[in-house]
Amino acid sequence: MAKIQKKNIEKKIYEYHAEMCKVFSHPTRLEIINTLRESEMNVTELSTRIGIDMGNLSQHLGMMRDRRILTTRKDGNVVYYRLANPKMLDAFDILRKILIEQIKKDGNLVEALEE
Amino acid sequence: MAKIQKKNIEKKIYEYHAEMCKVFSHPTRLEIINTLRESEMNVTELSTRIGIDMGNLSQHLGMMRDRRILTTRKDGNVVYYRLANPKMLDAFDILRKILIEQIKKDGNLVEALEE
DNA sequence: ATAGTATTTTATAAATTTCTAAAATACTAT
DNA sequence: ATAGTATTTTAGAAATTTATAAAATACTAT
């Protein structure tokens, strides 16, 4: 394959990778992932658990489903969401652990992010 | 600790976690991380490798440093950047692997993201 | 068919992120 | 001090993301 073509494919992969990671870049969506850790849940219950109105929640769920982070199952008029791939929890946990260590070690982190 | 207090701390952690993940939500920043995989590199070389102008690159590097994803070392007037914690590469690789599998399995992913 | 519940979609305004280009800073060497 | 190189910062426009509120859809039960 030509060099220039290979380079473009790499760039494309970085774009899709970034697109996927956008899922993790919002606190509500992280809470959704963590809430679905062990089992599926329907939209109404997610809404009360997380404390967010259903319209907004549904938007978040929709974009997470577009990116294949969540999948759904429908029973009557209830929609159940669950994690598409439990391995993503490993990535979630690694980053959260790094974060917690940093907060313990480096009090300035909080300030750096709040300026 | 009071229940309401605990809830607020959890919410705060989701916020910092999301703040950290914003680093991964831009293709250029993912390429920076991948480029620094084995060794540090200075800004000028990063700039030519990635093909991005230095002003913009420096902005990305700055926000990554704020979030403690990168650290720096200065030698003369050359600034070397490196990964603050190599463990983050494990998270990077897990997600990239999930992504590659999805692209192989599910041709529609690309379309879903490009609409 | 009608009413009721669950979820999604839409429109729009507000907030945030990104890129660009220019200016400023930091350091080195003469 | 001056000039040159490396990096950072700034200001502003453009693009994207987010929240809110309302309307629309999908399904169930009567």
Side-chain angles (χ1 to χ4, degrees):
Chain A
M1 201 182 326
K3 221 175 214 171
I4 235 169
Q5 174 72 325
K6 190 170 177 184
K7 202 171 220 170
N8 286 341
I9 289 174
E10 273 169 27
K11 295 278 185 194
K12 264 292 172 206
I13 290 178
Y14 285 126
E15 276 172 31
Y16 292 136
H17 191 161
E19 207 52 55
M20 185 186 211
C21 286
K22 279 182 190 164
V23 167
F24 304 101
S25 72
H26 192 288
T28 297
R29 293 192 294 259
L30 291 174
E31 189 164 2
I32 290 168
I33 290 171
N34 211 23
T35 303
L36 297 178
R37 185 174 280 270
E38 308 104 13
S39 66
E40 66 177 19
M41 195 174 289
N42 67 56
V43 180
T44 302
E45 191 175 353
L46 268 173
S47 173
T48 57
R49 281 269 194 119
I50 294 182
I52 185 182
D53 78 275
M54 267 200 342
N56 192 193
L57 175 58
S58 184
Q59 287 174 325
H60 285 301
L61 293 172
M63 79 83 101
M64 294 169 86
R65 184 168 53 177
D66 284 348
R67 287 161 182 74
R68 307 293 192 265
I69 296 297
L70 303 180
T71 58
T72 56
R73 168 177 84 80
K74 201 166 186 181
D75 183 10
N77 58 1
V78 178
V79 179
Y80 294 88
Y81 279 84
R82 65 185 160 77
L83 301 182
N85 188 339
K87 279 180 192 162
M88 83 184 66
L89 289 171
D90 297 340
F92 179 99
D93 290 337
I94 288 169
L95 293 176
R96 179 153 168 152
K97 198 172 167 188
I98 290 175
L99 174 70
I100 302 281
E101 276 170 19
Q102 279 177 353
I103 289 175
K104 281 183 187 162
K105 179 167 35 179
D106 174 11
N108 290 330
L109 174 65
V110 170
E111 290 155 40
L113 294 178
E114 286 183 348
E115 267 154 22
Chain B
M1 200 181 324
K3 220 174 216 173
I4 235 169
Q5 175 72 328
K6 190 170 179 184
K7 202 171 220 170
N8 287 340
I9 289 174
E10 273 169 26
K11 293 278 185 192
K12 266 290 172 208
I13 289 178
Y14 286 125
E15 277 174 29
Y16 292 135
H17 191 161
E19 207 52 55
M20 184 186 211
C21 286
K22 280 181 189 166
V23 167
F24 303 101
S25 72
H26 192 288
T28 297
R29 294 192 293 261
L30 290 174
E31 190 165 1
I32 291 167
I33 290 171
N34 212 21
T35 303
L36 298 179
R37 187 173 278 270
E38 307 103 14
S39 66
E40 66 178 19
M41 196 174 289
N42 67 56
V43 180
T44 301
E45 191 175 352
L46 268 174
S47 173
T48 59
R49 282 269 194 119
I50 295 182
I52 185 183
D53 77 275
M54 269 199 341
N56 192 195
L57 175 58
S58 184
Q59 287 173 328
H60 285 302
L61 293 172
M63 79 81 102
M64 293 170 87
R65 185 168 52 179
D66 285 348
R67 287 162 182 74
R68 307 293 190 265
I69 296 297
L70 303 180
T71 58
T72 55
R73 168 178 84 80
K74 201 168 187 180
D75 183 10
N77 58 0
V78 178
V79 178
Y80 293 89
Y81 280 84
R82 64 184 160 76
L83 301 182
N85 189 339
K87 278 179 193 163
M88 83 184 65
L89 288 172
D90 296 340
F92 178 100
D93 291 337
I94 287 169
L95 294 176
R96 178 151 170 154
K97 197 172 168 187
I98 290 174
L99 173 70
I100 301 281
E101 276 171 19
Q102 279 178 353
I103 289 175
K104 281 183 187 162
K105 180 167 33 179
D106 173 13
N108 290 330
L109 174 65
V110 170
E111 291 155 39
L113 294 178
E114 285 183 348
E115 266 154 23

